[in-house]
Structure formats: structure tokens, C-alpha cells
Amino acid sequence: MFDKITYLDNAASTRLDERVLEAMKPYFFDTYAVATSEFGYSMGIDAKEGLMDARGSIAKTLGASEEELVFTSGETESSNMAIKGVAAALRKKKGSHIIVSRIEDFPVLNTAKSLERQGYKVDYLNVDSEGTVDLDQLGSLINKETALVSIQHANQEIGTLQDIKAIADICNEKDVLLHTDATHTFTRVPLDVSKIPVDLVTISAHTIHGPRGVGALYVREGTPLEKWMDGGYQELNRRAGLENIPGAVGFAKAVELVTPEENASLARMRDHTISKALEDIPHVTLNGSRNDRTPQNANLTFHYVEGESMTLHLDMRGFAVSTGSACFSRSLEASHVILGIGGDHERAHGSLRFTFGRYNTMEDVDAILGALKEIVEKLREISPLYAKK
Amino acid sequence: MFDKITYLDNAASTRLDERVLEAMKPYFFDTYAVATSEFGYSMGIDAKEGLMDARGSIAKTLGASEEELVFTSGETESSNMAIKGVAAALRKKKGSHIIVSRIEDFPVLNTAKSLERQGYKVDYLNVDSEGTVDLDQLGSLINKETALVSIQHANQEIGTLQDIKAIADICNEKDVLLHTDATHTFTRVPLDVSKIPVDLVTISAHTIHGPRGVGALYVREGTPLEKWMDGGYQELNRRAGLENIPGAVGFAKAVELVTPEENASLARMRDHTISKALEDIPHVTLNGSRNDRTPQNANLTFHYVEGESMTLHLDMRGFAVSTGSACFSRSLEASHVILGIGGDHERAHGSLRFTFGRYNTMEDVDAILGALKEIVEKLREISPLYAKK
């Protein structure tokens, strides 16, 4: 249909890097044994070493030790495991109160809602108009029964970074465990658990050109965590299931391939997109913070136009972007994030999210901005909302 | 170290088939978009079609409809999801009684134990000396509070096939849901859910040269199942998490590549191994049934020798086999399966499990049998147990 599709949606970061596949191949075809203990045969030991090396190199980028990293099937499993595991471990010992932010991604938000149905008490923290959580409210909500606080490192839709150090200090001072979903910041924005007292961190390979179906959970040594995925004794008996060694090795390679230069380049595309859209197109609102946001994210509302219409018109010109939450693909329901920062349904429905990845260029950005300007103008011409304004 | 390592352990079936990787590649590098609804952009729709095609073709081999198959991260997750999902859905509506066999694999067994700690009542069904469950006991244990029966289609260690039709008929007659772990039979031994009234079936790609970290759960339409992996609304809102589309496509390709001819060839290697070992080496016991076993499995106890010693000596000659359960790699604890069929610790520790896969040949089998005969003789010469007999 097109010579080239330009992905500027989540897929911009889910395309596998060829070098990741090359790193995985030996574990598909040569060292494909089941990881085994020192009692096993030699190929099993080689496979285990591949797994341990991957674990160690990923842990290092978080400032963690090797034993503190548990491989999982991705972001969703990591957050389920963290929140349900702590909740079960502390329900009787401490209490059944949990605090999450109002704009968490679905794995955290819907895990919290599921615990609520099981009798846990959940508080949903407010955020300001840029998506920053209310630290005073956090401090005042924590009580003696609080088992866990879960606040994301950055937002999945509007990219807003939280002050995770300030959040961790509050939790640490009040002796409450903290989980953070760092899916959208891992390797892009520093998070050093040797300096910031966060107890559990969700990370995933799919946001950095790594393999799908692979993630990990950082678990600080000594953190009370009931096993969630029951079965075998893999992952130091914290997560059952045949180890996905090629996946773990691919994840480690994906981590290795992210550079500060790349992150700076993503931030330049982000800044250019935001500046040009605000300058060149009337009635545009930036969603999220101008400065405290992930390098790969821009989110803008084009008023008097439907996000879905823009998406379809961009698609017809070979550009892929998202509106609302890409995870919530079954409906046109308004984004809980835009509503959470005080936006109305019109602002949510007119929003476009851009995600920049390794394979995007500044030329892509200029091309989509040019196309978007034309599309928005045309759509507004036929919009009854725009005519009435 | 060797020109060639001959895998006759679980790894014999975990080696990825090159054709599976080829089938996955377009979804790594071209159609890598996030699966989206009809409101999304065209590449998302293509990705979704890839996912639906994979789902449909796998479902078909089970006699199921497309909507009844849920992709997961593998066997362990599928069994957790099935058992915990039904248990949660029926706890108040029906009761908290669950029945599993004594020789289930760890995902089922330890999920049952975890539910027991949460107040569920679990009965562990006995098996006979070949590993066949006691159908009379099953019938008598089912009561009005029974929410679920979970009995494997075939055993992970000794390969014994259960009469799943008879089990399903008993459960169906008493109006109790049945889950079966078919990890070790899927595509190898027929299981048609349109003819056998089983409600939930665990399957996995890793046993048929498919990708690691990919499995599925068949869920009969209308089965009460509380969502276990919370988060987004993927997989018809039954399992959250970014869809692993390359994994699903690879799984479908792996299924397609299994042929009746291959299964017959595996069975010939199995039968030859069993016959030759029993004929050529004294004091050998077959574990499991002679006839009702999976085509890819042989399990033999070489009395007066330690399985670990045989494994190490075979390893030094370039052969990889397992002793006990390969999943249980952290200890030398005796296999609960061998103990379950009435074996003692000596029989468990002297056991070797052979798994035959696509890349094994009859020459491999003859070579390992020759090596094993020598090794067993040598080990017995220095065994105090053997001297005393």
C-alpha cells in the first residue's frame, strides 16, 4: 500500500532490533537446554549461565544485585506479581490498605481493583493538571495498615515523570513498601535502586526493541512477597515456569543497545513535535508536562477533532499513531489518564499520542506534522463543533 | 567439547525449529504493530489478523472454536489461570473443593497446594503402579461442593496416558468442571474437545519445537472463570498483557509441523529404547505403562545406580538425559511421581527419563543405549548397594 509505514505509536518501540534476534539465536538452536543446577549436564549449565549473565547485566543497570531480578512474561505479570504478592504477604501481618495513583496503567490499576473486590481497601491518589501525584495527599493517606504504595515512574500515555525519589522517601520514612511501574522509563530515564529506596520495579523488553512476552520484576532483598505464579522452583523459587532463556538474553541485549545518544535523539524528536504542533496548528493542547516527561513521548489534543478520525486519515497517508490508550483497543472509551489530569471527554477524544523509537527520524516527524496540519484543517472544516465555536 | 551433543532429555523437544523462527520473523520486523480493533490503523489490523489466524489454527487441532483459546506465557500460567480462575469463580456459587491427581506436574500440584493454604479443600487422587488414576476414587470423592477436577492427560515424567474420556464422562455426569494439563500430549496424542467434555486444557509450545514463553488455555464457552492476570482487555478480556504475536504465530507454526509420521517415529525410538534396555541391561524397571504412554517418553530405573551418576557419565560422552523431574532442578529430592506409583527412593533416584524429539534418530538411541550399558556396569562395580545384593 505504501513504500513505507512510519510508526509513531507504541509499535515504534516494539519493533525487534535485528541484533537482539542475533543474540537470541544461539539459545534457540545450540544452547537450548533446560536450565539446570550444578547436578545437571553441561549444556544445561551453559544455558543457566546465559540466563544468569542476562539477569546480572539487566540488574546492574538498575543498581540492583543479580539475585534481586526475577524474569517474567512482561509488564502485566510483573505488576500483578508485585502487588498481589505483597498484598498477600502483608494482609495479616500489616494490613490490607493499598495506595495507587489514579493514572496508573491497566496492570496496576486493574490489579488494585481486583484486590478491592477481595476486600482490600484501595485509595486512588490524585494528580495535578500535568499528571504529577499529590505528595501531601500521599503522606496523609499512608496509615499503619498500608501494605503497599504503587506509583508509576512515568505515565504510559502522557509521559509525565513522577518525582520517584520524593515518593520513595515518603514511603521509606513511614516504613511502607513502594512498587513502581518503570515500563516506560527503563533505560530511558535513570532509576538507581541503590540510591532510591523503591522496593519493587516493573520493567519490560517490549518498549526498547526487545522481544515480546519478556519482562522482569526487581524485588529488593528481604521484601515480603508471596509467590503468585505457582509451579516449579525456577527463578530462586519466586516465579514458576520454564525459563525463557532466549527471551532473557534478548532482553539483556536490548538493554545494552540503548545509549544516552539515542535517548537524546528521541527527546529532540519529542521536543520538535511538541513545539511545531503548538506553533503551526491552532487550538492544540499539550497533555502532560513540557519538561518532566519521557524522551520518547508526546501527547497532544487537537481540539474540535476526533482522535479516531485523525488516526484514520494519518493511516491513509502511511502514518501510525494512537489515540487514547493503545491497550484499550476494544472501545472508544475516554482515556482515564486525560480525565485524571482534569481533561474532559472532548480533550481525551481529540488526543494523539506519539511514541518515538530507534527507527524514527526527524524527517518522519516533519512529514507527519505536515500531514497532520492538513488533516486537522480539513476535519475542522466539516466539524459542527468547530463551526459553533 | 563434542562434535555433537545428543539431547534425549526435555531439550530434545525445546530446540526451536528453524521454520518456526521464519514464520515469526515478519511479526518481529514488519507487522510488529500492537494488535488493535477495527478502529485502529491498518498495520494494527494486520497484526491482529496474524494473531487470530494463529488462534484459529491451534484451536482447530483441539476441536475448539477460535474464541475458546486464550494465549498465555506457557504451561505454568495456563494451569494457574485455569485452576485459580475456576476456584475463585465458584467458591461462593458452588464450593471450595478441588480434586487433583497425586502425580500432577508442579504447576497444577503447587497451585492446588497454594489454594489449600487459602482455605480450599483439596483431595489428591491415587494412581496405580503404572500411574493411572483411580476412577472409582474419583467418582466417590466428587461432592456437591466440588468446583473443579484437574487431571493431566499424560504424565511429565513417566509418560502415562490417562483415560481422559472416562474421567471427563464421570465429571460431566456429576456436573463438575474438568481441567487437564495436556502439555505432554498436545499434537502427539489426539484430544478432541468436541467429543470429550473437558472444560479447560493447558497446552504449550515448548514441547513441540515452538518458542519458549508461549502457551495457551482452552476454555470451553460458558465456563465460569475469574480473570487471573489483571490489566488490559486483551484476549477477549480473559488475559491481560501485550499480545505476544510473534510467539502465537510461532506456536501455530510449531503445531502445523507435527505430523502423524513424526509421532510414529518417536514411538519407534521409545519402544526400541524400552525393549533394548530391558533386554540388554539387568535389573532395569520400566516406569509407567508399556503401551499407554506418550510417543516421546521412556522412563527407566537402573537399580543399584544413582541417576545423577549416570547423567554425569552420559554427559561426559555427549549425551543429555534427565533424572527425576527436570523442572525440579534445585535439589536431589526424589520424584513425587515415582513415589506416587509406589516406588521407593532407590527407584526414584535410579531413574532416567528419555524424551525423543524431531532431531533424534534411531542411531542416537543405539549410541546412548550402548554407552549406558557400559556406564551402568562400571557404576555397579563400585556400588556398595550392588555388592550387597
Side-chain angles (χ1 to χ4, degrees):
Chain A
M1 199 168 168
F2 301 101
D3 291 348
K4 180 192 166 195
I5 304 283
T6 304
Y7 288 97
L8 285 158
D9 78 318
N10 268 1
S13 63
T14 58
R15 183 194 186 281
L16 196 70
D17 190 304
E18 281 83 355
R19 295 167 290 182
V20 169
L21 181 60
E22 286 310 311
M24 294 166 79
K25 274 185 183 169
Y27 296 87
F28 286 142
F29 302 123
D30 301 314
T31 311
Y32 51 83
V34 173
T36 183
S37 74
E38 65 262 44
F39 304 110
Y41 54 85
S42 40
M43 289 303 107
I45 294 168
D46 288 351
K48 197 180 186 180
E49 278 175 6
L51 182 65
M52 292 309 276
D53 287 350
R55 195 191 304 283
S57 75
I58 297 171
K60 207 175 159 189
T61 64
L62 278 172
S65 76
E66 196 173 292
E67 298 74 30
E68 293 176 314
L69 199 88
V70 184
F71 283 112
T72 69
S73 66
E75 167 193 5
T76 301
E77 186 191 326
S78 293
S79 291
N80 271 266
M81 173 183 171
I83 299 172
K84 292 176 180 173
V86 167
L90 294 185
R91 186 167 201 171
K92 283 176 191 163
K93 282 188 202 158
K94 188 146 193 243
S96 55
H97 179 228
I98 289 161
I99 301 170
V100 305
S101 93
R102 201 170 280 290
I103 60 168
E104 293 297 315
D105 206 350
F106 292 116
V108 170
L109 202 63
N110 286 339
T111 293
K113 285 182 182 166
S114 149
L115 289 175
E116 231 176 342
R117 288 191 295 272
Q118 290 168 48
Y120 288 84
K121 162 102 175 73
V122 181
D123 276 310
Y124 298 88
L125 265 185
N126 292 328
V127 296
D128 67 15
S129 63
E130 293 193 341
T132 309
V133 297
D134 185 333
L135 296 180
D136 292 336
Q137 194 198 13
L138 171 62
S140 67
L141 281 173
I142 292 176
N143 63 47
K144 282 183 184 167
E145 304 232 309
T146 309
L148 181 71
V149 170
S150 179
I151 297 174
Q152 59 192 190
H153 191 200
N155 188 267
Q156 63 284 0
E157 291 182 38
I158 59 171
T160 302
L161 291 168
Q162 301 298 338
D163 184 349
I164 196 72
K165 169 116 181 46
I167 294 166
D169 286 343
I170 292 170
C171 293
N172 195 40
E173 198 197 317
K174 296 189 182 251
D175 207 20
V176 169
L177 294 175
L178 173 65
H179 165 251
T180 192
D181 175 0
T183 303
H184 299 282
T185 55
F186 182 56
T187 74
R188 301 282 182 214
V189 179
L191 176 62
D192 185 339
V193 297
S194 72
K195 291 184 183 137
I196 296 179
V198 56
D199 303 287
L200 303 122
V201 182
T202 289
I203 59 176
S204 175
H206 80 273
T207 49
I208 51 170
H209 308 287
R212 304 265 185 112
V214 184
L217 180 69
Y218 159 76
V219 184
R220 186 177 295 280
E221 203 194 329
T223 302
L225 189 73
E226 200 158 291
K227 197 169 174 180
W228 183 63
M229 182 84 80
D230 286 301
Y233 301 85
Q234 295 91 350
E235 297 290 304
L236 297 175
N237 199 19
R238 289 172 303 190
R239 193 267 187 188
L242 179 74
E243 298 95 339
N244 181 355
I245 301 181
V249 169
F251 189 4
K253 186 68 185 180
V255 168
E256 184 195 315
L257 292 173
V258 177
T259 61
E261 293 71 32
E262 175 170 288
N263 290 334
S265 151
L266 298 179
R268 278 193 299 274
M269 289 191 272
R270 171 198 69 188
D271 292 339
H272 185 67
T273 301
I274 295 173
S275 305
K276 289 287 280 181
L278 291 172
E279 276 166 29
D280 291 0
I281 307 177
H283 311 296
V284 175
T285 305
L286 173 67
N287 297 312
S289 165
R290 184 68 189 80
N291 299 310
D292 294 331
R293 69 189 307 140
T294 51
Q296 75 275 21
N297 172 287
N299 190 311
L300 297 151
T301 293
F302 298 84
H303 295 277
Y304 314 110
V305 220
E306 284 287 320
E308 298 298 332
S309 307
M310 288 186 281
T311 299
L312 284 172
H313 279 84
L314 285 168
D315 183 40
M316 288 190 284
R317 297 183 185 210
F319 297 102
V321 293
S322 310
T323 179
S325 164
C327 299
F328 204 156
S329 63
R330 67 166 192 166
S331 86
L332 286 171
E333 220 169 275
S335 152
H336 70 284
V337 176
I338 305 285
L339 301 181
I341 60 172
D344 55 11
H345 279 72
E346 191 262 339
R347 181 163 164 198
H349 283 307
S351 71
L352 283 188
R353 174 177 52 171
F354 301 82
T355 307
F356 307 99
R358 183 167 300 154
Y359 303 98
N360 295 128
T361 64
M362 203 57 102
E363 287 68 43
D364 294 342
V365 173
D366 278 326
I368 197 173
L369 285 167
L372 195 56
K373 190 171 155 57
E374 290 174 26
I375 290 165
V376 169
E377 271 171 22
K378 275 197 188 164
L379 289 172
R380 282 181 181 162
E381 276 170 25
I382 56 165
S383 162
L385 286 170
Y386 193 68
K388 267 192 278 180
K389 91 176 161 71
Chain B
M1 200 168 167
F2 302 101
D3 290 349
K4 181 192 168 195
I5 305 283
T6 304
Y7 289 97
L8 286 157
D9 78 319
N10 267 2
S13 63
T14 59
R15 184 194 185 283
L16 196 70
D17 190 304
E18 280 83 355
R19 294 166 290 180
V20 170
L21 182 60
E22 287 308 311
M24 294 167 79
K25 274 185 183 169
Y27 296 87
F28 286 142
F29 302 123
D30 301 315
T31 311
Y32 50 85
V34 173
T36 183
S37 74
E38 64 263 42
F39 304 111
Y41 53 86
S42 40
M43 291 302 108
I45 295 168
D46 288 351
K48 196 179 186 181
E49 277 176 6
L51 182 66
M52 292 309 276
D53 287 350
R55 194 191 306 282
S57 76
I58 297 171
K60 204 175 162 192
T61 63
L62 278 170
S65 75
E66 195 173 292
E67 299 73 29
E68 293 176 313
L69 199 87
V70 183
F71 284 111
T72 69
S73 67
E75 167 192 6
T76 300
E77 186 191 326
S78 293
S79 291
N80 270 266
M81 173 183 169
I83 299 172
K84 292 175 179 174
V86 168
L90 294 185
R91 187 167 201 171
K92 284 177 190 162
K93 282 187 203 157
K94 186 146 194 244
S96 54
H97 179 229
I98 288 162
I99 301 170
V100 305
S101 94
R102 203 170 279 290
I103 60 168
E104 293 297 316
D105 206 350
F106 293 116
V108 170
L109 202 63
N110 287 337
T111 293
K113 286 182 182 167
S114 149
L115 289 175
E116 231 177 343
R117 288 191 296 273
Q118 291 168 47
Y120 287 84
K121 163 100 175 73
V122 180
D123 275 310
Y124 298 89
L125 266 186
N126 292 328
V127 296
D128 67 14
S129 63
E130 293 193 342
T132 309
V133 296
D134 185 334
L135 296 180
D136 291 337
Q137 194 197 11
L138 172 62
S140 67
L141 281 173
I142 293 176
N143 63 48
K144 282 183 184 166
E145 305 233 308
T146 308
L148 182 71
V149 171
S150 179
I151 296 174
Q152 58 191 192
H153 191 202
N155 189 266
Q156 63 285 358
E157 291 182 36
I158 60 171
T160 302
L161 292 168
Q162 300 298 337
D163 184 349
I164 197 71
K165 169 120 182 41
I167 293 166
D169 286 343
I170 292 170
C171 293
N172 195 40
E173 198 198 315
K174 296 189 181 251
D175 206 18
V176 169
L177 295 175
L178 174 65
H179 166 251
T180 191
D181 175 1
T183 304
H184 299 281
T185 54
F186 182 56
T187 72
R188 301 283 183 213
V189 179
L191 176 62
D192 185 339
V193 297
S194 72
K195 291 181 184 140
I196 297 178
V198 56
D199 304 287
L200 303 122
V201 182
T202 289
I203 60 175
S204 175
H206 81 273
T207 49
I208 50 169
H209 308 286
R212 304 265 186 111
V214 184
L217 181 68
Y218 160 76
V219 185
R220 187 177 294 279
E221 203 194 329
T223 302
L225 189 73
E226 200 160 291
K227 197 169 175 180
W228 184 64
M229 182 86 79
D230 286 301
Y233 300 85
Q234 295 91 351
E235 297 291 302
L236 296 175
N237 199 20
R238 290 172 303 189
R239 193 267 187 186
L242 179 74
E243 298 95 339
N244 181 357
I245 301 179
V249 168
F251 189 5
K253 185 69 185 179
V255 168
E256 183 196 316
L257 293 173
V258 176
T259 61
E261 293 70 31
E262 174 171 286
N263 290 334
S265 152
L266 298 179
R268 279 194 298 275
M269 289 191 271
R270 170 197 69 186
D271 292 339
H272 185 65
T273 301
I274 294 172
S275 306
K276 288 288 279 181
L278 290 172
E279 276 167 28
D280 291 1
I281 307 177
H283 311 296
V284 175
T285 304
L286 173 66
N287 297 311
S289 165
R290 184 70 188 80
N291 299 312
D292 294 331
R293 68 189 306 140
T294 52
Q296 75 275 21
N297 173 287
N299 189 312
L300 297 152
T301 292
F302 299 84
H303 294 277
Y304 315 110
V305 218
E306 284 286 321
E308 299 297 334
S309 308
M310 287 186 282
T311 300
L312 284 170
H313 279 83
L314 285 168
D315 182 41
M316 289 190 284
R317 296 183 186 210
F319 297 103
V321 293
S322 311
T323 178
S325 164
C327 299
F328 205 156
S329 63
R330 65 164 193 168
S331 86
L332 287 170
E333 223 169 275
S335 152
H336 71 283
V337 176
I338 305 286
L339 301 180
I341 60 173
D344 56 10
H345 279 72
E346 191 260 338
R347 180 163 164 198
H349 284 307
S351 71
L352 284 188
R353 174 178 51 172
F354 302 81
T355 308
F356 307 99
R358 182 167 301 154
Y359 303 98
N360 295 127
T361 63
M362 203 57 102
E363 288 68 42
D364 294 343
V365 172
D366 278 326
I368 198 173
L369 285 167
L372 195 57
K373 189 171 155 59
E374 290 174 27
I375 289 165
V376 169
E377 271 171 21
K378 275 197 187 164
L379 287 173
R380 281 181 182 162
E381 276 171 25
I382 56 164
S383 161
L385 285 169
Y386 193 67
K388 267 192 279 182
K389 92 176 161 69

